[in-house]
Amino acid sequence: MEEQESKYTLLVNKKRVAVGKEVYKAYYRQKEREAYLDKLAGKHNISFEECEEKGIQVDYLLSRAEESIEDGVIKKEMLKKLALCLETLSEQERLLIYALFFQGKSERQLSAETGTPQRTINDRKRRILLKLKKLLEK
């Protein structure tokens, strides 16, 4: 009987652990449920009422939506690096990037405000973004 149970193993802390058939099935049933919930939550914005109707635990969805500590640290480092790269741009380049990305202005709006053709603004933006990309990759 022990030989039958040893056919089922799970990976725990990077080590294989022998488990019984029921434990194995329960584990993978739960993994499938989590994958289903992730897929469901990703496709739709689900209301609290829908969560209750479908048997989805709101705590589960909230915990999955939170940013991990590692992601937060990486994001902070990338923002620091971006800020340093932005400082290397000329004042005119920084103003263009600031208007388009931080103030949310469209190229058309900026064209009307400055009297610069929209195509010129688009070309400048493209060149500046390529320049920033190269700086960020260093």
Side-chain angles (χ1 to χ4, degrees), residues 88-110:
T88 65
L89 299 176
S90 70
E91 186 175 346
Q92 190 178 22
E93 290 172 328
R94 269 196 310 270
L95 289 173
L96 180 73
I97 294 298
Y98 181 75
L100 292 173
F101 294 98
F102 294 93
Q103 291 179 331
K105 293 183 179 179
S106 69
E107 291 177 9
R108 187 173 291 177
Q109 281 178 307
L110 203 54

Side-chain angles (χ1 to χ4, degrees), residues 11-72:
L11 194 60
V12 179
N13 295 328
K14 298 181 182 178
K15 293 182 182 177
R16 288 268 169 212
V17 177
V19 295
K21 184 177 180 179
E22 293 303 314
V23 172
Y24 182 84
K25 282 185 174 183
Y27 175 80
Y28 280 101
R29 206 174 304 126
Q30 183 62 31
K31 291 245 340 152
E32 287 175 5
R33 174 118 174 103
E34 286 177 11
Y36 167 75
L37 292 175
D38 285 344
K39 184 178 175 183
L40 187 64
K43 283 186 179 178
H44 310 288
N45 290 334
I46 302 173
S47 69
F48 180 73
E49 290 78 19
E50 285 178 298
C51 288
E52 283 183 346
E53 287 173 12
K54 295 180 180 181
I56 302 170
Q57 296 174 349
V58 177
D59 300 356
Y60 173 78
L61 291 178
L62 292 175
S63 70
R64 301 298 275 186
E66 292 176 6
E67 187 177 88
S68 73
I69 294 171
E70 294 86 5
D71 290 341

